[in-house]
Amino acid sequence: MCGRSQRPAVLLRGKSPVPDASFRRMHGVMRSTRRSFIKTATAGAIGYAVLRDDAIDRVRAAVTNADGASPASLAGDENFWFQVQQAYDVDRSLTNLNNGGVSPAPRVVLDAMRRHVQFTNQLPSRHLWTVLDPQVETVRGRLANAFGCDAEELAITRNTSEALEICLYGMDLKRGDEVLSTSYDYPRMLNTLRQRALREGIVLKTFPIPTPPDDPKQLLRLFEQNITPKTKIILVSHITYINGQIFPVKSVVELGRRHGIEVIVDGAHAFGHFAFKHADLDCDYYGTSLHKWTSAPIGTGFLYVRKSKIAGLWPLMAGPKPNSDDIRKFEEIGTHPTAPRLAIAEAITFYESIGPDRKEARLRFLRDRWAKRLMRQKGVKLYTSLDPAQSCGIATMSVEGVTGGQLVEHLFKNHRIVVTAIKHEHIDGIRVTPNTYTTLREIDRFCEAMQRVIQDGLPT
Ligand SMILES: Cc1ncc(COP(=O)(O)O)c(C=O)c1O
């Protein structure tokens, strides 16, 4: 059997294995891929020819060519980011500025996933459980390295919801015990606690946050002020989905520790978005989705639990040893596809090839490009601080007299631009989340469309 990483990404039946110019144009095949095409095609005994996507090579070459340039100076270098933009098969007749919801994956990730799905399908019971499942351990190690923890502390989940519900349902609480969070935390996580309130009589306490706060310490003070002797758990977002506010997580974790309170961190939007390691947070519990900012396949995420805390946390689905300190007890979810989990490896490789610092700087650069231009306009309100300590690629704005829902509809209907509506407490606006594949022209088109609404209102 050929090596799994060499299994066909693009298959051509019969005839010449060498693509002609028109084929290359049609399929976006660069000349530099030709050598690997010929090599693999010659080696292949199964009658297929292979084209390996070389996006990672091109991104790495761009990094080498950048010759030590700082992330900030590269953030606006279109030649550099062109290589990243080309790694994604996105439809440029649509402008996707809702990457915070869920992101597309680059071609290398999709190719890997396709290979794993095809291989699984050849003999599911054996290929899935005997061949592919053990390979998940490599991915666990890659993710642990990227997050900065021990591999024995990281469970691969389907998303943040699963990771955090393991924590939120998995801790014993008694009637009257309080869980503290903000009203800017994610509804599904808060609903988990509301369900526990209904079933078990626990109490969920939430408080609103300023949008934006003067400085992150204000957020810490709010947590401190709302703690009572009955508080047993704090749920805190690393970065909120509403306006992209980054929380002082490490300080909240320390606060919780001082009071004997477990702190669960919702990192749905943080991992793969801006550069940080576990040591920067020092938390005991962390959940994230990899299909948002890491551009991994849809249906991937992870849960971090500090080694000493694993035994005391109940799994969501019972396995043979629910009290064991093996992190894999949280992965007992029945039969599920291994393909998306294995393809996380390519997403991490792609992410690390760009470099977390460079990605963070670029996302901030793209955010500043639209936010600084539009926030100067009359009637525009920005709910996100542009202070790098408080935000990165996500920001939320509104236009006086126009609802977020109306803006979403107008932008899509008339410009094929996708953003998401945010209607929450005093905010009725849109959240804008570009990604590394977003071009400056796409940001500018969005600004031009918005400027027309700001000046003239919605078309009648
Ligand atoms: C802050 C936050 N937490 C949790 C989630 C849930 O993520 P998922 O749907 O990937 O489980 C989201 C989704 O947008 C989110 O924004």
Side-chain angles (χ1 to χ4, degrees), residues 100-101 158-162 164 185-186 188-189 237 239-241 266 268-269 289 291-292 431:
R158 286 168 290 189
N159 45 44
T160 307
S161 303
E162 183 176 38
L164 294 187
D185 272 72
Y186 195 62
R188 184 171 301 109
M189 291 15 282
S237 283
I239 168 167
T240 66
Y241 77 104
D266 181 341
H269 280 283
S289 294
H291 45 228
K292 290 184 184 288
R431 187 188 71 185

Side-chain angles (χ1 to χ4, degrees), residues 33-100:
T33 63
R34 206 171 151 168
R35 220 174 303 125
S36 60
F37 177 94
I38 294 168
K39 199 170 138 203
T40 324
T42 312
I46 53 172
Y48 291 115
V50 180
L51 293 175
R52 189 176 65 81
D53 189 275
D54 64 352
I56 288 177
D57 301 342
R58 282 187 281 124
V59 168
R60 287 202 173 141
V63 170
T64 308
N65 287 342
D67 201 19
S70 70
S73 65
L74 267 187
D77 180 340
E78 291 317 290
N79 287 334
F80 179 85
W81 291 101
F82 177 76
Q83 299 302 340
V84 176
Q85 289 157 6
Q86 294 305 304
Y88 287 79
D89 273 338
V90 291
D91 180 349
R92 296 285 174 190
S93 69
L94 299 166
T95 298
N96 182 3
L97 299 178
N98 183 15
N99 290 280

